[in-house]
């Protein structure tokens, strides 16, 4: 996943954990998609003056809700249940890093939110790739391969807008710092049957 520039790849053995509880990974995945849509709407709400960003993030939010529906349909088809929303410790760690990283300005706040979003999309994309290549379930293998391409596009959208609107900020330097931070925390994950767990 060199294009995503992640420092540590997911151990494929994580898929063995996932396969023991498909209902759990599907529930967690569904809520990840819902939260991604909500995050895009939040960025729009706080930065509505950027017409191009609003347009592209509206499209992204619709796609994320569509993914939520796709996962939910798989859950229903398999006679499983969409459980309650799951806590995502990985995303929460990234969120806290974002919150303490900005300088208080609107530009910094936007850049940090976009890099936070890009980071989640990058790791989700990488996890979907690992699932698509290692899961024994053929339907899910194809499903995650398709979603992997979509997540890569979302990652690119967030990074592009961070560069476009990060006036006065060395966005490339900040992204390298985000990647380093993510490398430090991801070692604690890949041990449970959730998308980021």
């Amino acid at each position: 996943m060199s294009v995503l520039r992640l420092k540590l790849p997911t151990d494929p053995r994580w898929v063995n954990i996932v396969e023991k509880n498909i209902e759990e990974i599907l529930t967690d995945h569904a809520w990840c998609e819902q939260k991604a849509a909500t995050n895009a709407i939040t960025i729009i709400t706080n930065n509505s003056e950027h017409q191009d960003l609003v347009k592209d993030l509206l499209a992204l939010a619709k796609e994320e809700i569509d993914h939520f529906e796709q996962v939910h349909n798989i859950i229903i088809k398999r006679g499983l249940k969409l459980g309650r929303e799951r806590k995502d410790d990985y995303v929460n760690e990234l969120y806290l890093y974002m919150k303490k990283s900005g300088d208080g300005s609107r530009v910094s706040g936007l850049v940090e939110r976009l890099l936070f979003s890009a980071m989640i999309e990058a790791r989700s994309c990488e996890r979907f790739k690992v699932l698509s290549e290692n899961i024994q379930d053929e339907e899910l293998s194809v499903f995650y391969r398709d979603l992997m391409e979509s997540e890569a596009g979302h990652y690119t959208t967030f990074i592009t807008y961070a560069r476009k609107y990060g006036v006065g900020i060395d966005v490339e330097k900040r992204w390298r710092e985000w990647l380093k931070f993510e490398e430090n925390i991801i070692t604690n994950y890949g041990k449970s049957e959730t998308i980021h767990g």
Side-chain angles (χ1 to χ4, degrees):
M1 300 305 290
S2 59
V3 69
L4 300 171
R5 295 168 59 192
L6 296 172
K7 303 291 187 189
L8 283 180
T10 296
D11 187 329
R13 287 176 296 182
W14 165 68
V15 178
N16 300 336
I17 300 167
V18 167
E19 287 178 319
K20 291 187 176 81
N21 195 344
I22 294 295
E23 187 168 25
E24 179 62 27
I25 189 80
L26 290 174
T27 283
D28 180 70
H29 178 194
W31 290 115
C32 284
E33 299 291 357
Q34 178 270 325
K35 285 180 251 193
T38 302
N39 178 59
I41 295 294
T42 299
I43 295 171
I44 289 168
T45 304
N46 295 332
N47 303 278
S48 55
E49 68 275 20
H50 301 308
Q51 196 172 48
D52 53 351
L53 179 139
V54 170
K55 185 169 172 291
D56 285 347
L57 290 196
L58 274 172
L60 188 148
K62 285 180 188 171
E63 202 167 84
E64 300 288 21
I65 284 296
D66 181 55
H67 293 167
F68 188 144
E69 185 178 27
Q70 287 179 49
V71 180
H72 190 232
N73 287 342
I74 291 172
I75 289 170
I76 293 167
K77 188 171 114 184
R78 292 175 177 227
L80 306 173
K81 282 197 170 63
L82 174 65
R84 302 290 294 175
E85 181 188 341
R86 303 302 196 246
K87 187 172 163 220
D88 193 325
D89 292 326
Y90 167 81
V91 170
N92 288 338
E93 284 197 63
L94 293 179
Y95 184 82
L96 291 172
Y97 179 68
M98 171 186 73
K99 279 311 216 185
K100 65 182 176 56
S101 294
D103 65 10
S105 70
R106 287 198 72 226
V107 171
S108 172
L110 173 58
V111 167
E112 290 304 313
R113 188 73 183 219
L114 290 168
L115 295 183
F116 160 78
S117 306
M119 192 79 259
I120 297 167
E121 296 287 353
R123 182 55 71 182
S124 299
C125 179
E126 190 262 355
R127 286 283 167 97
F128 290 168
K129 182 174 192 289
V130 172
L131 276 169
S132 74
E133 291 174 350
N134 295 281
I135 201 161
Q136 297 301 307
D137 187 308
E138 186 55 37
E139 180 189 27
L140 292 181
S141 174
V142 171
F143 179 61
Y144 281 112
R145 192 174 310 119
D146 290 344
L147 284 196
M148 174 187 80
E149 292 167 12
S150 177
E151 300 295 305
H154 296 172
Y155 154 80
T156 303
T157 297
F158 288 124
I159 285 282
T160 300
Y161 278 113
R163 290 182 178 135
K164 179 170 185 177
Y165 289 117
V167 180
I169 295 171
D170 187 340
V171 174
E172 180 54 36
K173 177 171 176 281
R174 273 304 294 142
W175 183 236
R176 285 197 301 270
E177 290 165 0
W178 268 95
L179 289 164
K180 186 68 187 162
F181 177 76
E182 202 265 356
E183 179 186 14
N184 291 333
I185 67 166
I186 199 64
T187 54
N188 301 318
Y189 297 95
K191 302 174 178 77
S192 70
E193 61 275 26
T194 57
I195 295 297
H196 301 123

